[in-house]
Amino acid sequence: ALCPVLLKRATFLPLSWQCFRALCCKGPPPARPEYDLVCIGLTGSGKTSLLSKLCSESPENVVSTTGFSIKAVPFQNAILNVKELGGADNIRKYWSRYYQGSQGVIFVLDSASSEDDLETARNELHSALQHPQLCTLPFLILANHQDKPAARSVQEVKKYFELEPLARGKRWILQPCSLDDMDALKDSFSQLINLLEEKDHEAVRM
Ligand SMILES: Nc1nc2c(ncn2[C@@H]2O[C@H](COP(=O)(O)OP(=O)(O)OP(=O)(O)O)[C@@H](O)[C@H]2O)c(=O)[nH]1
Ligand SMILES: [Mg+2]
């Protein structure tokens, strides 16, 4: 017959080993999925400032982006590799050369801009929504600068940009935000990540 002490030890040892492993040897956390996004919008709309804040960098001393800049923006359940394209007049004509490989689009708007700039922004957004490399992708449209008294509400932006008919059948989110409202910004990015995940699952099903 087995000695009861030995028997006790034999059951205790594997148990304590399992506890030790569970507590201390969890191994690396599961890899977060990465998505490649393109971020567009007129100059001064706030692309670099918003992305810097999301990366916990100071949005002060931000300078206008000449060409493009790439940032890996970390979220709890995904990493977004965001390629921001400078929005100045002389750069916008090259935007479409940098669309390839994108899995989603962020369009930033200065909601308090002049009528002229708003119209330019609308034309740019319409071109992007219809571009063959972007037209099937999830869009996050950020109506930024909401802290300014002249800012248009999301309802006004939606109407002015004629988003309902143009974006029908597409996955898109229109979110009001400002540089001071990180909660709204993070919330809109988590909605975007949901759309990107949905698209991923769809691709797997096909
Ligand atoms: N009041 C206010 N100012 C903002 C907001 N977002 C950005 N700005 C300011 O707008 C200015 C331009 O911001 P940028 O982040 O450089 O704009 P951008 O879209 O990257 O511009 P380009 O790189 O030239 O295309 C900066 O002085 C920011 O501080 C906002 O929500 N409210
Ligand atoms: Mg910039």
Side-chain angles (χ1 to χ4, degrees):
L2 274 170
C3 159
V5 176
L6 273 182
L7 196 63
K8 224 176 176 181
R9 216 168 252 179
T11 50
F12 172 75
L13 262 179
L15 250 184
S16 57
W17 173 240
Q18 274 167 20
C19 290
F20 175 75
R21 265 179 67 94
L23 288 171
C24 311
C25 310
K26 269 194 273 174
R32 283 175 282 181
E34 293 192 28
Y35 297 100
D36 293 342
L37 305 181
V38 67
C39 177
I40 51 179
L42 301 196
T43 186
S45 55
K47 302 179 294 296
T48 309
S49 312
L50 294 176
L51 294 170
S52 301
K53 266 199 116 171
L54 284 169
C55 288
S56 310
E57 293 165 10
S58 165
E60 279 151 39
N61 311 320
V62 157
V63 291
S64 182
T65 309
T66 44
F68 67 87
S69 110
I70 300 182
K71 274 190 196 302
V73 192
F75 292 90
Q76 211 173 7
N77 53 350
I79 294 171
L80 302 183
N81 299 313
V82 184
K83 179 164 60 184
E84 181 211 334
L85 308 183
D89 290 353
N90 58 340
I91 309 176
R92 286 206 305 276
K93 57 179 176 246
Y94 302 110
W95 274 0
S96 58
R97 297 189 188 185
Y98 296 89
Y99 289 164
Q100 203 171 10
S102 304
Q103 294 168 284
V105 184
I106 303 163
F107 189 95
V108 185
L109 168 74
D110 175 353
S111 318
S113 61
S114 68
E115 283 291 322
D116 278 358
D117 282 350
L118 211 59
E119 191 173 342
T120 311
R122 178 174 66 177
N123 294 338
E124 293 294 358
L125 179 60
H126 281 209
S127 309
L129 279 164
Q130 291 169 334
H131 192 276
Q133 276 166 342
L134 305 185
C135 64
T136 60
L137 306 180
F139 269 71
L140 169 61
I141 303 159
L142 293 170
N144 195 25
H145 291 251
Q146 287 292 326
D147 55 311
K148 293 183 179 169
R152 277 89 171 170
S153 67
V154 262
Q155 281 75 21
E156 287 171 302
V157 170
K158 199 190 255 182
K159 199 163 166 224
Y160 183 85
F161 276 55
E162 297 165 298
L163 280 172
E164 286 291 0
L166 191 74
R168 192 169 294 146
K170 296 185 199 294
R171 289 156 224 263
W172 57 279
I173 303 153
L174 171 61
Q175 179 88 25
C177 72
S178 78
L179 211 46
D180 312 320
D181 189 357
M182 285 314 281
D183 287 344
L185 197 64
K186 284 188 176 159
D187 178 55
S188 56
F189 272 83
S190 75
Q191 290 181 52
L192 177 65
I193 292 169
N194 285 344
L195 291 185
L196 292 163
E197 281 171 353
E198 268 174 32
K199 202 155 193 299
D200 252 8
H201 292 147
E202 228 169 58
V204 171
R205 268 204 298 272
M206 280 198 309

